[in-house]
Amino acid sequence: MAATPLVPFNDLHAQYRSIQPEVDAAIARTIRNSAFIRGPEVDAFERNFAAVVGAKHCVSCANGTDALFIAYRALGLQPGDEVITSAHSWIATAETITQAGGQVVFADTDPATFTLDPADVARKITPRTKGLVPVHLYGQPANLGALGELTRRHGLWMVEDCAQAHLARCGGRTVGTFGAIGTFSFYPGKNLGAMGDAGCLVTNDDALAAFAAKFARHGGLRKGEHEIEGINSRLDGLQAAILNAKLPHLERWTRERRRLAAEYDRKLAGVGDLVRPPVAPGRDHVFHLYVVRTARRDALRAHLETRGIQTQINYPAALPFLPAYQRFGHQPADFPVAYAHQSQVLSLPLFPEMTAGQLDQVVDAIQAFFGGRVAR
Ligand SMILES: *Cc1c(COP(=O)(O)O)cnc(C)c1O
Protein backbone atom coordinates (compact mmCIF):
# COMPACT_ATOMS: atom_id res chain seq x y z
CA MET A 1 0.00 0.00 0.00
CA ALA A 2 1.33 3.41 -0.95
CA ALA A 3 1.82 5.84 1.93
CA THR A 4 -0.58 8.78 2.10
CA PRO A 5 1.13 11.75 0.44
CA LEU A 6 2.46 14.32 2.90
CA VAL A 7 1.35 17.09 0.64
CA PRO A 8 -1.49 16.23 -1.73
CA PHE A 9 -1.90 18.23 -4.92
CA ASN A 10 -5.41 19.21 -3.84
CA ASP A 11 -7.57 18.22 -0.86
CA LEU A 12 -11.25 18.21 -1.71
CA HIS A 13 -12.11 16.40 1.49
CA ALA A 14 -10.53 19.17 3.60
CA GLN A 15 -12.73 21.67 1.80
CA TYR A 16 -15.84 19.57 2.40
CA ARG A 17 -15.03 19.24 6.11
CA SER A 18 -14.66 23.01 6.41
CA ILE A 19 -18.26 23.61 5.25
CA GLN A 20 -19.86 20.21 5.86
CA PRO A 21 -23.11 21.39 7.57
CA GLU A 22 -23.93 23.73 4.68
CA VAL A 23 -23.22 21.13 2.00
CA ASP A 24 -25.08 18.35 3.82
CA ALA A 25 -28.12 20.58 4.35
CA ALA A 26 -28.14 21.58 0.66
CA ILE A 27 -28.03 17.94 -0.42
CA ALA A 28 -30.77 16.92 2.05
CA ARG A 29 -32.98 19.82 0.90
CA THR A 30 -32.69 18.75 -2.73
CA ILE A 31 -33.46 15.11 -1.96
CA ARG A 32 -36.51 16.23 0.03
CA ASN A 33 -37.76 18.30 -2.93
CA SER A 34 -36.84 15.62 -5.51
CA ALA A 35 -35.73 18.52 -7.74
CA PHE A 36 -32.99 16.51 -9.42
CA ILE A 37 -32.89 18.12 -12.86
CA ARG A 38 -33.25 21.93 -13.02
CA GLY A 39 -35.56 23.18 -10.21
CA PRO A 40 -35.22 25.99 -7.65
CA GLU A 41 -31.57 25.32 -6.74
CA VAL A 42 -30.56 25.61 -10.40
CA ASP A 43 -32.55 28.82 -10.90
CA ALA A 44 -31.01 30.26 -7.75
CA PHE A 45 -27.48 29.30 -8.77
CA GLU A 46 -27.89 30.95 -12.18
CA ARG A 47 -28.98 34.19 -10.46
CA ASN A 48 -26.26 33.98 -7.82
CA PHE A 49 -23.42 33.25 -10.23
CA ALA A 50 -24.49 35.95 -12.71
CA ALA A 51 -24.45 38.44 -9.83
CA VAL A 52 -20.99 37.36 -8.63
CA VAL A 53 -19.51 37.67 -12.13
CA GLY A 54 -21.40 40.86 -12.92
CA ALA A 55 -23.11 39.44 -16.01
CA LYS A 56 -26.74 39.88 -17.05
CA HIS A 57 -27.34 36.16 -17.71
CA CYS A 58 -25.96 32.85 -16.50
CA VAL A 59 -27.07 29.71 -18.36
CA SER A 60 -26.12 26.53 -16.53
CA CYS A 61 -25.28 23.27 -18.29
CA ALA A 62 -23.78 19.85 -17.63
CA ASN A 63 -20.06 20.76 -17.70
CA GLY A 64 -17.53 23.32 -18.92
CA THR A 65 -16.92 21.50 -22.19
CA ASP A 66 -20.61 21.71 -23.10
CA ALA A 67 -20.58 25.40 -22.16
CA LEU A 68 -17.96 25.98 -24.89
CA PHE A 69 -19.89 23.89 -27.44
CA ILE A 70 -23.15 25.69 -26.64
CA ALA A 71 -21.36 29.06 -26.90
CA TYR A 72 -19.99 28.29 -30.38
CA ARG A 73 -23.43 27.10 -31.54
CA ALA A 74 -25.10 30.19 -30.06
CA LEU A 75 -22.67 32.35 -32.04
CA GLY A 76 -23.76 30.57 -35.22
CA LEU A 77 -20.50 28.85 -36.16
CA GLN A 78 -20.74 27.48 -39.73
CA PRO A 79 -18.67 24.82 -41.52
CA GLY A 80 -15.40 26.34 -42.68
CA ASP A 81 -15.46 29.14 -40.10
CA GLU A 82 -12.09 29.54 -38.39
CA VAL A 83 -11.72 30.07 -34.68
CA ILE A 84 -8.35 30.99 -33.17
CA THR A 85 -7.49 29.62 -29.76
CA SER A 86 -4.49 28.98 -27.55
CA ALA A 87 -1.92 26.28 -28.29
CA HIS A 88 -1.56 25.86 -24.52
CA SER A 89 -4.81 24.68 -22.92
CA TRP A 90 -6.93 21.70 -22.01
CA ILE A 91 -8.32 19.98 -25.10
CA ALA A 92 -11.94 20.99 -24.33
CA THR A 93 -11.30 24.51 -25.64
CA ALA A 94 -10.37 23.21 -29.10
CA GLU A 95 -12.29 19.96 -29.58
CA THR A 96 -15.62 21.76 -29.17
CA ILE A 97 -14.76 24.13 -32.05
CA THR A 98 -14.48 21.09 -34.31
CA GLN A 99 -17.66 19.53 -32.90
CA ALA A 100 -19.57 22.78 -33.51
CA GLY A 101 -18.49 22.56 -37.17
CA GLY A 102 -15.62 25.05 -37.15
CA GLN A 103 -11.92 24.90 -37.98
CA VAL A 104 -9.49 25.09 -35.07
CA VAL A 105 -6.59 27.50 -35.63
CA PHE A 106 -3.96 27.54 -32.90
CA ALA A 107 -1.92 30.58 -31.92
CA ASP A 108 1.14 30.57 -29.67
CA THR A 109 1.23 31.85 -26.12
CA ASP A 110 2.97 34.80 -24.55
CA PRO A 111 6.31 33.68 -23.00
CA ALA A 112 5.53 35.10 -19.54
CA THR A 113 1.84 34.50 -18.87
CA PHE A 114 1.02 31.23 -20.70
CA THR A 115 -1.94 33.02 -22.33
CA LEU A 116 -2.80 33.74 -25.97
CA ASP A 117 -0.22 35.99 -27.65
CA PRO A 118 -2.10 38.79 -29.46
CA ALA A 119 0.77 39.23 -31.96
CA ASP A 120 0.54 35.60 -33.07
CA VAL A 121 -3.28 35.81 -33.15
CA ALA A 122 -3.00 38.81 -35.50
CA ARG A 123 -0.81 36.72 -37.85
CA LYS A 124 -3.39 33.91 -37.90
CA ILE A 125 -6.44 36.04 -38.81
CA THR A 126 -7.83 35.31 -42.31
CA PRO A 127 -11.06 36.34 -44.10
CA ARG A 128 -12.60 33.10 -42.73
CA THR A 129 -11.82 33.89 -39.07
CA LYS A 130 -14.98 34.36 -37.02
CA GLY A 131 -13.85 34.36 -33.43
CA LEU A 132 -11.14 34.23 -30.79
CA VAL A 133 -11.11 32.01 -27.70
CA PRO A 134 -8.60 33.16 -25.10
CA VAL A 135 -8.09 30.85 -22.13
CA HIS A 136 -7.41 32.44 -18.75
CA LEU A 137 -4.96 29.66 -18.10
CA TYR A 138 -4.07 28.67 -14.53
CA GLY A 139 -6.26 31.57 -13.34
CA GLN A 140 -4.52 34.53 -15.01
CA PRO A 141 -6.59 36.63 -17.43
CA ALA A 142 -5.32 36.67 -21.00
CA ASN A 143 -4.37 40.02 -22.58
CA LEU A 144 -7.99 41.11 -22.98
CA GLY A 145 -7.11 44.66 -23.98
CA ALA A 146 -5.07 43.67 -27.05
CA LEU A 147 -7.37 40.75 -27.97
CA GLY A 148 -10.48 42.94 -27.63
CA GLU A 149 -8.82 45.46 -29.96
CA LEU A 150 -8.28 42.69 -32.57
CA THR A 151 -11.95 41.59 -32.35
CA ARG A 152 -13.13 45.17 -32.96
CA ARG A 153 -10.73 45.76 -35.83
CA HIS A 154 -11.65 42.50 -37.62
CA GLY A 155 -15.33 42.14 -36.63
CA LEU A 156 -14.79 38.94 -34.62
CA TRP A 157 -16.54 37.58 -31.56
CA MET A 158 -14.72 36.46 -28.44
CA VAL A 159 -15.53 33.57 -26.13
CA GLU A 160 -13.52 33.55 -22.89
CA ASP A 161 -12.68 30.11 -21.51
CA CYS A 162 -12.88 30.94 -17.79
CA ALA A 163 -12.81 27.31 -16.60
CA GLN A 164 -9.72 28.03 -14.46
CA ALA A 165 -10.41 31.66 -13.62
CA HIS A 166 -13.48 32.16 -11.42
CA LEU A 167 -13.40 35.76 -10.09
CA ALA A 168 -10.16 36.66 -11.91
CA ARG A 169 -10.18 40.32 -12.91
CA CYS A 170 -8.61 42.42 -15.60
CA GLY A 171 -8.48 46.17 -15.00
CA GLY A 172 -10.90 45.60 -12.10
CA ARG A 173 -13.55 43.85 -14.22
CA THR A 174 -14.37 40.16 -13.74
CA VAL A 175 -13.45 37.80 -16.57
CA GLY A 176 -16.32 36.28 -18.53
CA THR A 177 -17.83 39.66 -19.39
CA PHE A 178 -15.20 40.91 -21.86
CA GLY A 179 -16.29 38.74 -24.76
CA ALA A 180 -19.71 37.84 -26.14
CA ILE A 181 -19.75 34.80 -23.85
CA GLY A 182 -17.67 33.52 -20.92
CA THR A 183 -17.69 29.81 -20.10
CA PHE A 184 -17.06 28.21 -16.71
CA SER A 185 -16.42 24.70 -15.42
CA PHE A 186 -17.36 23.52 -11.95
CA TYR A 187 -15.42 20.26 -12.22
CA PRO A 188 -14.63 19.24 -8.60
CA GLY A 189 -11.01 20.45 -8.67
CA LYS A 190 -11.75 23.88 -10.16
CA ASN A 191 -11.71 27.02 -7.95
CA LEU A 192 -15.48 26.60 -7.55
CA GLY A 193 -16.17 22.89 -7.80
CA ALA A 194 -19.29 20.74 -7.68
CA MET A 195 -19.31 17.10 -6.54
CA GLY A 196 -19.59 15.89 -10.10
CA ASP A 197 -19.73 17.57 -13.49
CA ALA A 198 -21.23 21.04 -13.84
CA GLY A 199 -20.73 24.15 -15.95
CA CYS A 200 -22.28 27.37 -17.20
CA LEU A 201 -21.89 30.27 -19.56
CA VAL A 202 -22.42 33.95 -18.83
CA THR A 203 -23.36 36.71 -21.26
CA ASN A 204 -24.85 40.21 -21.34
CA ASP A 205 -26.60 39.45 -24.64
CA ASP A 206 -30.31 38.55 -24.30
CA ALA A 207 -30.50 36.69 -27.63
CA LEU A 208 -27.37 34.59 -26.99
CA ALA A 209 -28.64 33.69 -23.50
CA ALA A 210 -32.07 32.72 -24.85
CA PHE A 211 -30.57 30.53 -27.57
CA ALA A 212 -28.10 28.86 -25.18
CA ALA A 213 -30.80 28.07 -22.60
CA LYS A 214 -33.04 26.54 -25.25
CA PHE A 215 -30.28 24.66 -27.06
CA ALA A 216 -29.04 23.07 -23.82
CA ARG A 217 -32.54 21.79 -23.08
CA HIS A 218 -33.64 20.02 -26.27
CA GLY A 219 -34.59 23.26 -27.98
CA GLY A 220 -37.27 24.47 -25.58
CA LEU A 221 -37.69 25.79 -22.07
CA ARG A 222 -41.07 24.15 -21.40
CA LYS A 223 -42.04 20.49 -21.49
CA GLY A 224 -43.24 19.46 -24.95
CA GLU A 225 -41.83 22.62 -26.56
CA HIS A 226 -39.01 22.19 -29.13
CA GLU A 227 -38.44 25.32 -31.20
CA ILE A 228 -35.09 24.03 -32.47
CA GLU A 229 -33.07 20.84 -32.19
CA GLY A 230 -30.85 20.96 -29.16
CA ILE A 231 -28.87 18.76 -26.83
CA ASN A 232 -29.32 17.46 -23.29
CA SER A 233 -26.93 19.49 -21.16
CA ARG A 234 -28.61 20.34 -17.88
CA LEU A 235 -27.30 21.11 -14.42
CA ASP A 236 -28.40 18.64 -11.71
CA GLY A 237 -30.31 20.01 -8.73
CA LEU A 238 -27.84 18.35 -6.35
CA GLN A 239 -24.84 19.98 -8.05
CA ALA A 240 -26.57 23.36 -8.06
CA ALA A 241 -27.40 23.03 -4.35
CA ILE A 242 -23.76 22.18 -3.58
CA LEU A 243 -22.57 25.12 -5.70
CA ASN A 244 -25.02 27.46 -3.90
CA ALA A 245 -23.55 26.30 -0.59
CA LYS A 246 -19.97 26.86 -1.79
CA LEU A 247 -20.38 30.13 -3.71
CA PRO A 248 -20.42 32.40 -0.61
CA HIS A 249 -16.94 31.05 0.25
CA LEU A 250 -15.38 31.65 -3.16
CA GLU A 251 -14.02 35.15 -2.41
CA ARG A 252 -12.30 33.89 0.72
CA TRP A 253 -10.92 30.80 -1.01
CA THR A 254 -9.60 33.03 -3.78
CA ARG A 255 -7.87 35.30 -1.26
CA GLU A 256 -6.28 32.22 0.32
CA ARG A 257 -5.01 31.04 -3.09
CA ARG A 258 -3.45 34.47 -3.68
CA ARG A 259 -1.88 34.51 -0.24
CA LEU A 260 -0.35 31.03 -0.72
CA ALA A 261 0.94 32.01 -4.15
CA ALA A 262 2.58 35.10 -2.65
CA GLU A 263 4.22 32.86 -0.01
CA TYR A 264 5.59 30.55 -2.71
CA ASP A 265 6.79 33.61 -4.66
CA ARG A 266 8.65 34.96 -1.66
CA LYS A 267 10.16 31.66 -0.53
CA LEU A 268 11.13 30.38 -3.98
CA ALA A 269 12.78 33.60 -5.16
CA GLY A 270 16.27 32.91 -6.50
CA VAL A 271 16.09 29.14 -6.08
CA GLY A 272 17.91 27.29 -8.88
CA ASP A 273 16.67 28.15 -12.36
CA LEU A 274 13.08 28.17 -11.14
CA VAL A 275 10.83 30.72 -12.88
CA ARG A 276 7.88 31.70 -10.69
CA PRO A 277 4.59 32.53 -12.45
CA PRO A 278 4.70 36.21 -13.46
CA VAL A 279 1.48 38.23 -13.28
CA ALA A 280 1.01 40.93 -15.90
CA PRO A 281 0.14 44.47 -14.69
CA GLY A 282 -3.59 45.11 -14.26
CA ARG A 283 -4.45 41.42 -14.12
CA ASP A 284 -5.69 39.66 -10.97
CA HIS A 285 -4.52 36.05 -10.99
CA VAL A 286 -6.70 33.60 -9.00
CA PHE A 287 -4.10 30.79 -8.98
CA HIS A 288 -6.19 27.81 -9.96
CA LEU A 289 -2.70 26.43 -10.43
CA TYR A 290 0.70 27.68 -9.27
CA VAL A 291 2.92 26.76 -12.19
CA VAL A 292 6.71 27.11 -12.12
CA ARG A 293 9.16 26.47 -14.93
CA THR A 294 12.56 24.79 -14.80
CA ALA A 295 14.81 23.03 -17.29
CA ARG A 296 15.08 20.20 -14.73
CA ARG A 297 11.31 19.68 -14.47
CA ASP A 298 11.19 15.88 -14.66
CA ALA A 299 14.00 15.39 -12.13
CA LEU A 300 12.42 17.93 -9.76
CA ARG A 301 9.06 16.21 -10.07
CA ALA A 302 10.60 12.82 -9.27
CA HIS A 303 12.46 14.32 -6.29
CA LEU A 304 9.22 15.81 -4.89
CA GLU A 305 7.41 12.52 -5.47
CA THR A 306 9.93 10.64 -3.30
CA ARG A 307 9.23 13.19 -0.54
CA GLY A 308 5.50 12.58 -0.73
CA ILE A 309 4.73 15.81 -2.56
CA GLN A 310 2.22 15.49 -5.38
CA THR A 311 2.61 17.68 -8.45
CA GLN A 312 0.99 17.81 -11.87
CA ILE A 313 2.01 18.73 -15.39
CA ASN A 314 -0.56 20.97 -17.03
CA TYR A 315 -0.11 19.92 -19.76
CA PRO A 316 2.43 17.30 -20.94
CA ALA A 317 1.87 18.27 -24.59
CA ALA A 318 0.67 21.53 -26.13
CA LEU A 319 -2.53 21.03 -28.13
CA PRO A 320 -0.98 21.22 -31.65
CA PHE A 321 1.31 18.30 -30.78
CA LEU A 322 -1.39 15.94 -29.51
CA PRO A 323 -2.26 12.92 -31.66
CA ALA A 324 -5.77 14.44 -31.90
CA TYR A 325 -4.31 17.29 -34.03
CA GLN A 326 -1.77 15.29 -36.01
CA ARG A 327 -3.81 16.10 -39.14
CA PHE A 328 -2.50 19.68 -39.04
CA GLY A 329 1.11 18.49 -39.28
CA HIS A 330 2.28 21.18 -36.86
CA GLN A 331 5.99 21.45 -36.04
CA PRO A 332 7.61 22.69 -32.82
CA ALA A 333 8.81 25.81 -34.67
CA ASP A 334 5.16 26.76 -35.37
CA PHE A 335 4.54 27.27 -31.63
CA PRO A 336 7.97 27.81 -30.08
CA VAL A 337 6.70 29.15 -26.74
CA ALA A 338 4.03 26.51 -26.09
CA TYR A 339 6.48 23.82 -27.27
CA ALA A 340 9.24 24.97 -24.90
CA HIS A 341 6.83 25.26 -21.98
CA GLN A 342 5.46 21.73 -22.32
CA SER A 343 8.74 20.28 -21.05
CA GLN A 344 9.29 22.98 -18.36
CA VAL A 345 5.98 23.52 -16.55
CA LEU A 346 5.29 22.00 -13.14
CA SER A 347 2.18 22.69 -11.05
CA LEU A 348 2.90 22.75 -7.31
CA PRO A 349 0.29 21.88 -4.66
CA LEU A 350 -1.94 24.88 -3.92
CA PHE A 351 -5.45 24.77 -2.43
CA PRO A 352 -7.20 27.12 0.01
CA GLU A 353 -6.96 24.68 2.93
CA MET A 354 -3.20 24.14 2.48
CA THR A 355 -1.33 24.69 5.75
CA ALA A 356 1.81 26.78 6.26
CA GLY A 357 3.58 23.54 7.21
CA GLN A 358 2.60 21.87 3.95
CA LEU A 359 3.78 24.85 1.92
CA ASP A 360 7.10 24.89 3.76
CA GLN A 361 7.59 21.18 3.06
CA VAL A 362 7.24 21.87 -0.64
CA VAL A 363 9.61 24.85 -0.45
CA ASP A 364 12.20 22.91 1.59
CA ALA A 365 12.11 19.98 -0.82
CA ILE A 366 12.58 22.29 -3.81
CA GLN A 367 15.47 24.12 -2.14
CA ALA A 368 17.09 20.79 -1.25
CA PHE A 369 16.78 19.69 -4.88
CA PHE A 370 18.53 22.78 -6.17
CA GLY A 371 21.07 22.46 -3.38
CA GLY A 372 20.93 25.69 -1.52
CA ARG A 373 19.27 28.72 -0.10
CA VAL A 374 17.99 26.77 2.89
CA ALA A 375 17.42 29.93 4.94
CA ARG A 376 14.00 31.45 4.35
C1 LIG B 1 -11.69 22.11 -16.97
C2 LIG B 1 -11.55 22.85 -18.25
C3 LIG B 1 -12.53 22.81 -19.26
C4 LIG B 1 -13.64 21.82 -19.28
O1 LIG B 1 -14.45 21.75 -18.20
P1 LIG B 1 -15.24 20.39 -17.85
O2 LIG B 1 -16.21 20.90 -16.84
O3 LIG B 1 -14.26 19.43 -17.29
O4 LIG B 1 -15.91 19.90 -19.07
C5 LIG B 1 -12.37 23.63 -20.36
N1 LIG B 1 -11.32 24.44 -20.50
C6 LIG B 1 -10.33 24.49 -19.57
C7 LIG B 1 -9.18 25.40 -19.79
C8 LIG B 1 -10.40 23.69 -18.43
O5 LIG B 1 -9.42 23.75 -17.52
Side-chain angles (χ1 to χ4, degrees):
M1 210 185 89
T4 327
L6 285 172
V7 186
F9 187 71
N10 196 352
D11 192 344
L12 295 180
H13 190 69
Q15 182 178 83
Y16 169 62
R17 277 202 318 273
S18 73
I19 54 165
Q20 184 170 359
E22 293 144 81
V23 172
D24 289 357
I27 291 171
R29 199 166 62 229
T30 309
I31 294 174
R32 234 175 5 251
N33 298 339
S34 301
F36 296 120
I37 306 288
R38 296 288 314 178
E41 293 285 347
V42 176
D43 293 339
F45 179 70
E46 289 179 338
R47 281 193 306 273
N48 296 340
F49 195 71
V52 159
V53 174
K56 191 166 173 195
H57 305 280
C58 166
V59 177
S60 63
C61 61
N63 55 69
T65 305
D66 280 4
L68 287 158
F69 177 71
I70 295 164
Y72 303 145
R73 291 295 300 261
L75 288 159
L77 204 62
Q78 297 294 317
D81 288 351
E82 294 177 359
V83 179
I84 302 174
T85 192
S86 177
H88 188 156
S89 184
W90 175 244
I91 192 168
T93 320
E95 66 187 352
T96 44
I97 294 171
T98 309
Q99 281 146 15
Q103 291 291 325
V104 182
V105 176
F106 291 116
D108 207 359
T109 43
D110 160 73
T113 63
F114 306 107
T115 60
L116 203 48
D117 174 9
D120 201 42
V121 170
R123 285 190 285 272
K124 302 283 166 71
I125 293 174
T126 76
R128 291 178 302 283
T129 307
K130 288 295 184 302
L132 309 182
V133 189
V135 183
H136 306 312
L137 199 75
Y138 306 151
Q140 172 156 220
N143 187 344
L144 289 163
L147 294 170
E149 184 54 40
L150 285 173
T151 63
R152 286 185 289 279
R153 193 174 330 139
H154 296 275
L156 311 175
W157 46 252
M158 176 157 76
V159 170
E160 297 169 71
D161 184 342
C162 308
Q164 303 187 1
H166 314 71
L167 300 191
R169 292 182 181 90
C170 192
R173 190 162 130 209
T174 310
V175 299
T177 60
F178 287 80
I181 295 178
T183 65
F184 289 85
S185 166
F186 307 113
Y187 177 83
K190 297 287 162 78
N191 286 21
L192 177 63
M195 292 184 167
D197 276 316
C200 78
L201 60 82
V202 299
T203 181
N204 287 326
D205 185 304
D206 297 343
L208 289 176
F211 177 92
K214 252 188 323 210
F215 183 73
R217 293 155 69 179
H218 296 294
L221 300 186
R222 275 177 286 277
K223 256 200 165 57
E225 182 183 278
H226 305 283
E227 294 172 31
I228 54 171
E229 287 184 313
I231 59 170
N232 175 7
S233 184
R234 298 172 301 210
L235 181 59
D236 291 359
L238 282 169
Q239 300 307 337
I242 292 162
L243 290 168
N244 281 326
K246 286 188 168 193
L247 187 58
H249 301 282
L250 183 57
E251 278 284 358
R252 178 171 52 83
W253 288 334
T254 304
R255 278 198 303 276
E256 277 305 294
R257 287 179 181 277
R258 288 213 179 96
R259 189 185 61 75
L260 291 161
E263 280 290 286
Y264 268 140
D265 274 346
R266 192 166 63 76
K267 293 178 171 171
L268 292 174
V271 173
D273 71 341
L274 211 67
V275 181
R276 294 158 296 143
V279 182
R283 303 191 214 172
D284 286 339
H285 197 317
V286 294
F287 291 99
H288 171 56
L289 297 171
Y290 185 88
V291 179
V292 296
R293 290 194 285 126
T294 164
R296 300 171 64 197
R297 191 266 314 272
D298 293 335
L300 174 60
R301 186 172 199 219
H303 169 85
L304 295 176
E305 180 84 41
T306 63
R307 299 198 165 203
I309 296 165
Q310 288 183 340
T311 59
Q312 276 186 11
I313 295 172
N314 304 90
Y315 300 92
L319 295 175
F321 311 119
L322 290 172
Y325 294 106
Q326 214 164 24
R327 64 180 184 276
F328 294 147
H330 286 311
Q331 300 302 313
D334 300 334
F335 306 95
V337 177
Y339 182 75
H341 286 175
Q342 71 182 25
S343 56
Q344 300 169 350
V345 290
L346 186 66
S347 310
L348 303 182
L350 191 155
F351 48 94
E353 300 76 19
M354 191 177 191
T355 64
Q358 286 176 320
L359 186 133
D360 282 342
Q361 280 174 57
V362 180
V363 170
D364 290 346
I366 293 173
Q367 286 174 345
F369 174 79
F370 286 108
R373 250 209 43 127
V374 174
R376 279 198 300 271

